Amino acid sequence: MSEHTVTAFDDDLKFITRKVVEMGGHAESMIARAIAALVKGDKALAEAIVAEDLVLDSLQYELDERIIVILAKRQPVATDLREIIGAMRMGNDLERIGDMGKNIARRTKEIDDIVHPRKVVRGLEHLTNLTLEQLKEVLDAYVNKDVQKANEVCDRDDEIDQIYTSLFRELLTYMMEDPRNITFCTHLLFCAKNIERIGDHATNIAETVIYMVTGKSAISTHGTRAE
Amino acid sequence: MNEMTETATEAAVNAAASNRSVKMRGDKVGVFYGEKQALFDVDLDIYEHEVTALIGPSGCGKSTFLRCLNRMNDTIDGCRVTGKLTLDSENIYDPKIDVVELRARVGMVFQKPNPFPKSIFENIAYGPRIHGLVKSKGDLDEVVAISLQKAGLFEEVKDRLNEPGTGLSGGQQQRLCIARAIAVSPEVILMDEPCSALDPIATAKVEELIDELRENYTIVIVTHSMQQAARVSQRTAMFHLGNLVEVDATDVIFTNPSDPKTQDYITGRYG
C-alpha cells in the first residue's frame, strides 16, 4: 500500500500496529512464564506476572487513546478504517489474554506443594505450547496481512479444543482415583480452561485479520465466537 | 475453512436497489472538448429516489458527466457527446428533445449560490412563470411557498419575500437556489459541489435537505468532500482520468472498495 499524502496519518497507523505487536509480545510472554511458574511452583515468578498485567492494560489504554484521536481527526475509511477498527478489537483480545495469564499466576500462588501428577502437567504444557504457537502465528499473520495464515489459525483451533477435552477427562480420572488430587486437579482444570480460552482469542484475532485485509467478515465454522 | 459472507448492509443495499428503477442511464457516454476526449465510455445508471455521488480527483470527468445529464455541455463550444443518455428510457440527445423542457425536468444547483438579482419571491416565481406552470397569481404564490418550504427556507424568509435574494446568507442563498430548482417540478436534481462555499452549519442544513428531497426526486451530486459523499449518498461512482472506475453502494465504497484507485483516492493516498 502506498503512503498517505498526509504523512502524519502513516505515523498514526504505524503507531497502532506497533502497539498491537507490543501487546501481543507481552501477552505471549506472560502466558509462557505463567505456565512455567505453575509447573515449577515458582510463587515469586507468579507474583511478578500478576503485577505485569498492569503493563498490558496500560498498553491497551495507549492504543485506545490514539485510536480515538485518529477517528476524531482523520475520519478514516476503507482499509484505514478496517485497520483501525481491527487494532481496537485485537487490543481487547490481547488484554483478555493477559487476564488469563494473570488468573493462572494467581492460581499458582494458591496451589500448595502437592506432588503433581507429572503426566497431567505435561498435557497442560503441550496445550500451552500449541496455543502459544497459535498466538505467534496470528500475530505474524497480522503484521504480514496474511489471510492464508489467519485461516490456518482458525482451522487449528479444533486441535486445541480436542486436547483440552482429553485433558479434562484425564483430570477427572485422577480426581476419581484419589480424592486428595481434587484440589490440585481443579486448579489445573481452570488453568487448562484459561489456555483454551486464549486459543479462542487467537481465533478472534485471526478473524479480525481476515476482515482487515479482505473487508469480509469471516464467520468461522468452528463457532468459537459463540462459545 | 471460513465462509465469506455478504455483510448485512451490502445485502440490504442490493435488495433496495433491485426494487428501484433506473431513472437515467448512461450508455458508453463519451465527451470531447474539440480534439481532447474528457470522458471515455461511461456506463452509469442513476436510480430513482436515490442520491448518487460522483467523486474523483480534479479533472476526472465527474462534472463533465454531470453536465451531460441535462445537456449543459451544449453551451460549450466544440463540445461533442457520444454514446447514449436516457431519461426514463428516452434519449435526451435525440434531436426531437426540447432542451429547455429537459432542463426543467433535470434541474441544476451550482457550486456558488447564484440567485437572480431579484426579490426572493421572483427568484422562485421566474421558472414556473416562463414554463407556464401556473395559471393565476394565487397558484404562483402557492408554488413559491411550497418550494421554499421544501427547501427548508420558508420560515426564515416568509416575512421578507420582496427583499433581494442576494441579501441572504450564503447557506440561505444556496437553499434559495434549490427552491428555485424545485419550483419547476423537476424529476432529477443535479448538484455540482453545492456546499463547497458554505460553512459547516449551512452545509449540514443542505445535506439534511438533500436527504429529505430524495423522497420525491432523484439526485446526482458532485462533491470533493469524501465525507459528504459518504453522508448523503446511497450510491457512489468513482471517476479517474475520464473513466468510471467503480460504482457501488456507498456503504461498500467507503468500507471495502474493489478498485485500488478508489481505495487510494478515498483514503488520501492519491498522487
Side-chain angles (χ1 to χ4, degrees):
Chain A
M1 175 116 334
S2 60
E3 295 190 336
H4 284 94
T5 309
V6 178
T7 51
F9 197 172
D10 288 320
D11 296 340
D12 282 337
L13 291 177
K14 278 181 202 141
F15 177 91
I16 63 169
T17 308
R18 217 166 42 234
K19 279 294 158 204
V20 170
V21 171
E22 202 179 334
M23 283 185 78
H26 201 80
E28 262 182 272
S29 134
M30 271 179 78
I31 303 305
R33 285 178 306 133
I35 293 297
L38 175 75
V39 172
K40 285 187 243 152
D42 186 340
K43 297 193 179 190
L45 179 57
E47 187 91 47
I49 291 163
V50 172
E52 255 179 56
D53 189 46
L54 279 178
V55 178
L56 201 54
D57 287 353
S58 71
L59 282 173
Q60 191 199 10
Y61 178 77
E62 285 174 51
L63 176 69
D64 282 354
E65 284 293 288
R66 186 67 163 253
I67 287 172
I68 288 164
V69 172
I70 296 173
L71 290 176
K73 280 167 59 175
R74 307 203 187 279
Q75 290 112 44
V77 294
T79 40
D80 296 335
L81 178 65
R82 302 204 303 265
E83 204 167 319
I84 288 161
I85 295 297
M88 205 162 165
R89 285 189 193 154
M90 281 186 263
N92 269 335
D93 282 314
L94 292 168
E95 191 272 333
R96 286 300 294 153
I97 291 175
D99 288 346
M100 301 295 161
K102 185 173 72 176
N103 286 351
I104 294 169
R106 276 210 182 119
R107 233 164 251 291
T108 303
K109 283 163 52 188
E110 302 282 312
I111 297 173
D112 291 322
D113 303 313
I114 321 164
V115 184
H116 303 178
R118 203 46 228 159
K119 197 166 162 255
V120 202
V121 172
R122 256 205 305 279
L124 186 64
E125 280 180 306
H126 179 52
L127 182 69
T128 308
N129 289 339
L130 267 183
T131 308
L132 285 175
E133 184 62 23
Q134 286 277 79
L135 198 52
K136 184 184 157 297
E137 288 288 299
V138 84
L139 290 169
D140 281 355
Y142 167 60
V143 172
N144 299 315
K145 297 186 164 50
D146 187 340
V147 175
Q148 164 92 26
K149 202 170 229 180
N151 269 318
E152 285 165 12
V153 169
C154 291
D155 291 341
R156 269 199 305 269
D157 191 53
D158 271 351
E159 208 178 321
I160 290 178
D161 291 349
Q162 277 160 16
I163 294 172
Y164 167 72
T165 310
S166 71
L167 205 56
F168 175 81
R169 284 205 204 95
E170 217 171 307
L171 285 165
L172 272 191
T173 317
Y174 283 115
M175 290 192 249
M176 283 188 287
E177 268 172 15
D178 186 347
R180 282 173 301 176
N181 283 339
I182 289 177
T183 309
F184 174 73
C185 283
T186 307
H187 279 307
L188 229 49
L189 185 57
F190 276 118
C191 290
K193 184 68 198 166
N194 283 158
I195 299 290
E196 186 270 335
R197 284 300 300 160
I198 294 168
D200 290 346
H201 285 294
T203 311
N204 282 356
I205 296 173
E207 287 170 351
T208 301
V209 170
I210 293 165
Y211 170 73
M212 258 177 53
V213 180
T214 65
K216 307 270 180 190
S217 65
I219 310 283
S220 170
T221 48
H222 309 296
T224 42
R225 276 207 193 273
E227 279 170 18
Chain B
M1 284 306 294
N2 297 290
E3 262 172 47
M4 298 299 184
T5 53
E6 193 178 44
T7 65
T9 37
E10 277 175 63
V13 169
N14 290 339
S18 61
N19 292 331
R20 291 203 175 105
S21 50
V22 174
K23 185 69 186 170
M24 296 193 80
R25 167 167 287 166
D27 186 4
K28 298 213 179 316
V29 176
V31 174
F32 295 81
Y33 293 122
E35 288 300 299
K36 196 183 172 307
Q37 188 165 4
L39 212 57
F40 301 84
D41 292 342
V42 172
D43 292 332
L44 181 59
D45 288 348
I46 309 292
Y47 289 85
E48 198 164 28
H49 302 306
E50 267 195 7
V51 179
T52 303
L54 311 181
I55 62 167
S58 292
C60 68
K62 57 189 189 300
S63 291
T64 298
F65 181 78
L66 188 79
R67 284 199 301 267
C68 289
L69 296 174
N70 70 347
R71 295 186 50 177
M72 290 289 283
N73 286 330
D74 288 12
T75 59
I76 299 169
D77 275 346
C79 179
R80 188 160 55 87
V81 178
T82 60
K84 195 175 165 193
L85 258 164
T86 59
L87 172 63
D88 290 337
S89 313
E90 195 179 1
N91 185 2
I92 63 169
Y93 281 86
D94 190 302
K96 288 195 292 270
I97 288 281
D98 176 353
V99 179
V100 174
E101 194 206 327
L102 170 71
R103 290 186 193 141
R105 290 177 69 192
V106 183
M108 187 139 182
V109 175
F110 297 88
Q111 181 173 0
K112 252 185 91 195
N114 55 351
F116 303 136
K118 289 169 182 284
S119 70
I120 294 170
F121 184 92
E122 280 303 316
N123 261 280
I124 316 282
Y126 183 75
R129 202 182 278 138
I130 62 157
H131 285 288
L133 300 176
V134 286
K135 290 192 190 78
S136 64
K137 174 78 173 86
D139 281 358
L140 191 59
D141 288 349
E142 197 183 329
V143 167
V144 170
I146 288 173
S147 303
L148 285 169
Q149 272 160 2
K150 282 187 184 164
L153 193 62
F154 188 69
E155 287 303 315
E156 292 164 56
V157 302
K158 63 181 176 191
D159 299 325
R160 43 181 173 141
L161 291 177
N162 294 317
E163 290 174 26
T166 46
L168 297 171
S169 74
Q172 287 172 329
Q173 286 187 24
Q174 194 62 306
R175 280 181 285 144
L176 179 65
C177 293
I178 293 172
R180 187 176 65 191
I182 293 170
V184 292
S185 304
E187 294 156 48
V188 181
I189 304 173
L190 310 178
M191 298 185 172
D192 195 352
E193 297 198 52
C195 299
S196 61
L198 306 184
D199 78 359
I201 296 165
T203 299
K205 284 186 183 163
V206 171
E207 286 182 3
E208 171 64 14
L209 175 60
I210 290 171
D211 201 47
E212 285 167 12
L213 293 176
R214 179 160 69 88
E215 208 177 305
N216 298 310
Y217 308 94
T218 300
I219 296 168
V220 186
I221 178 171
V222 161
T223 175
H224 272 144
S225 161
M226 232 63 70
Q227 272 75 35
Q228 179 165 68
R231 285 191 300 259
V232 304
S233 72
Q234 286 71 53
R235 196 166 296 271
T236 299
M238 161 77 190
F239 285 77
H240 184 247
L241 300 174
N243 292 291
L244 174 67
V245 171
E246 179 175 5
V247 56
D248 211 331
T250 299
D251 290 2
V252 176
I253 292 281
F254 286 94
T255 55
N256 194 15
S258 311
D259 196 284
K261 283 202 262 313
T262 312
Q263 179 89 259
D264 284 357
Y265 181 65
I266 64 173
T267 59
R269 289 181 169 89
Y270 177 79

